[in-house]
Amino acid sequence: MRTYTKPVAAVTGALVLAAGLTACDGSSAASDEKVVTVYSADGLKGEAGDGWYDKVFPDFEKQTGIKVKYVEGGSGEMVQRALREKSNTQADVLVTLPPFIQQAGSKGLLQSYEPKGADQVDGGDKAGDGTWTSVVDNYFGFVHNKKELPAAPKTWEELLDAKYKDKLQYSTPGVAGDGTAVLIKAMHDFGGKDAAMEYLKKLQANNVGPSSSTSKLAPKVDKGELLVANGDVQMNFAQAKSMPNLGIWFPAKAGGKPTTFALPYAAGLVNRAPHTENGKKLLDFMLSEGAQREVSAIGGGFPARKDVKGTDANAIELAALMEGVEVFEPDWADIDKNLAAYVDAWKSATGS
């Protein structure tokens, strides 16, 4: 476990895409068609059209003449969609959060390709077999309503208070990447699966209920419909530019320090992609120095390349946000292997 100290790159903006929202039909598309289809977890595309994807994709289209077609959903949802289409592949590039990117690799959904610039990505942020590489670094977190709840809660245990009844919500583990992150962090902070499930069972008395998309929770917090919800630093930092009541915080176990873990947006080339070469070009572009600098300037996250450092005001603000927060590294191999069992245990504990 370590305390976050490395320079942080930040971003402003939430995200909507100029590119189309319809997947291409791989069965009828010619391999040289000037199109690339991206299946992505939500968070990098903004409602106001000012997010990282909103800048990077049009820039890519202008430079290459290749049109980006975009499909968005929860991390697990995107992997399941790609899995259903395995015999008739539609997507060229898959972007999703851990542990779903590892799941995609273990299920044979990804082919090996190391984008240009991948040598500047830390070893823990890319697959050893070259099937995926982080394109935007990120960390798990929570949000609170700064107007109704000026001081953020400090501990998990505080969330059991009756004042949070029907004012707390987290996205669904096994469906949303950030929802799955709730399980991962709880198991770490409480020292194991059983203790975490015992806590989440108690928390269920205050939980509004399931949500397949984490990004939909922040607006509810901003409006005061919720006091607390889960999220991630990149997405919530970007959303806070248009949602002034959002505050980011990191729960600790009573008596402990606040913790988090890296939750990067990781991208891979889909196996048997209908437009493989176009997918490679897009991955190269997303990891290029120019696009990585815009992670800090536009996207609300942290550059995946260690040779690109954010120096703007947002980077400074994010560095302050992460100060004193211990960053642990989950055992992703264990989580990939046992995710279904952990989700089942959560369902049993919460009656979900």
Side-chain angles (χ1 to χ4, degrees), residues 268-279:
L269 186 65
V270 176
N271 197 22
R272 298 175 61 210
H275 310 101
T276 294
E277 293 306 312
N278 295 347

Side-chain angles (χ1 to χ4, degrees), residues 2-249:
R2 60 184 174 86
T3 300
Y4 186 90
T5 56
K6 72 178 183 178
V8 178
V11 207
T12 58
L15 328 150
V16 139
L17 202 47
L21 299 177
T22 308
C24 66
D25 182 355
S27 62
S28 61
S31 60
D32 60 350
E33 186 181 1
K34 302 288 280 185
V35 67
V36 60
T37 297
V38 178
Y39 282 10
S40 179
D42 53 0
L44 292 176
K45 170 186 161 313
E47 296 175 5
D50 55 357
W52 191 63
Y53 278 165
D54 301 287
K55 181 67 167 64
V56 170
F57 288 170
D59 285 352
F60 174 75
E61 292 179 345
K62 183 177 180 180
Q63 178 175 306
T64 65
I66 298 169
K67 181 176 177 60
V68 178
K69 294 189 175 181
Y70 181 79
V71 179
E72 178 184 283
S75 288
E77 179 187 357
M78 290 295 92
V79 172
Q80 288 302 311
R81 178 167 177 166
L83 191 61
R84 290 194 302 269
E85 297 169 353
K86 198 172 181 181
S87 62
N88 182 25
T89 308
Q90 304 292 303
D92 301 299
V93 171
L94 178 67
V95 184
T96 188
L97 306 179
F100 297 99
I101 195 68
Q102 291 90 342
Q103 185 183 85
S106 66
K107 292 182 180 298
L109 292 177
L110 304 175
Q111 58 178 298
S112 181
Y113 177 68
E114 295 190 18
K116 296 174 184 176
D119 60 318
Q120 293 295 331
V121 177
D122 284 335
D125 291 335
K126 58 186 177 183
D129 61 2
T131 50
W132 57 267
T133 305
S134 297
V135 291
V136 173
D137 277 354
N138 191 19
Y139 296 89
F140 177 62
F142 277 69
V143 288
H144 69 106
N145 181 293
K146 294 191 294 184
K147 183 178 180 181
E148 302 293 333
L149 193 68
K154 295 185 181 300
T155 68
W156 287 103
E157 287 83 357
E158 286 181 55
L159 299 180
L160 299 177
D161 191 282
K163 74 178 180 181
Y164 293 103
K165 184 172 178 59
D166 295 330
K167 289 289 188 177
L168 175 151
Q169 190 173 17
Y170 60 91
S171 51
T172 306
V175 176
D178 289 326
T180 305
V182 172
L183 289 188
I184 294 170
K185 178 170 157 59
M187 287 191 293
H188 171 270
D189 289 359
F190 286 95
K193 182 189 74 172
D194 291 346
M197 299 308 160
E198 182 180 349
Y199 168 79
L200 291 171
K201 180 178 181 178
K202 295 176 183 176
L203 185 66
Q204 193 65 13
N206 289 342
N207 187 19
V208 170
S211 173
S212 62
S213 173
T214 312
S215 64
K216 294 178 180 178
L217 300 181
K220 295 180 181 180
V221 174
D222 182 60
K223 294 174 184 175
E225 296 174 21
L226 299 173
L227 292 176
V228 170
N230 69 314
D232 62 68
V233 173
Q234 175 276 324
M235 178 173 64
N236 296 143
F237 188 83
Q239 290 172 317
K241 299 305 175 181
S242 59
M243 301 178 191
N245 294 322
L246 284 187
I248 300 172
W249 66 289

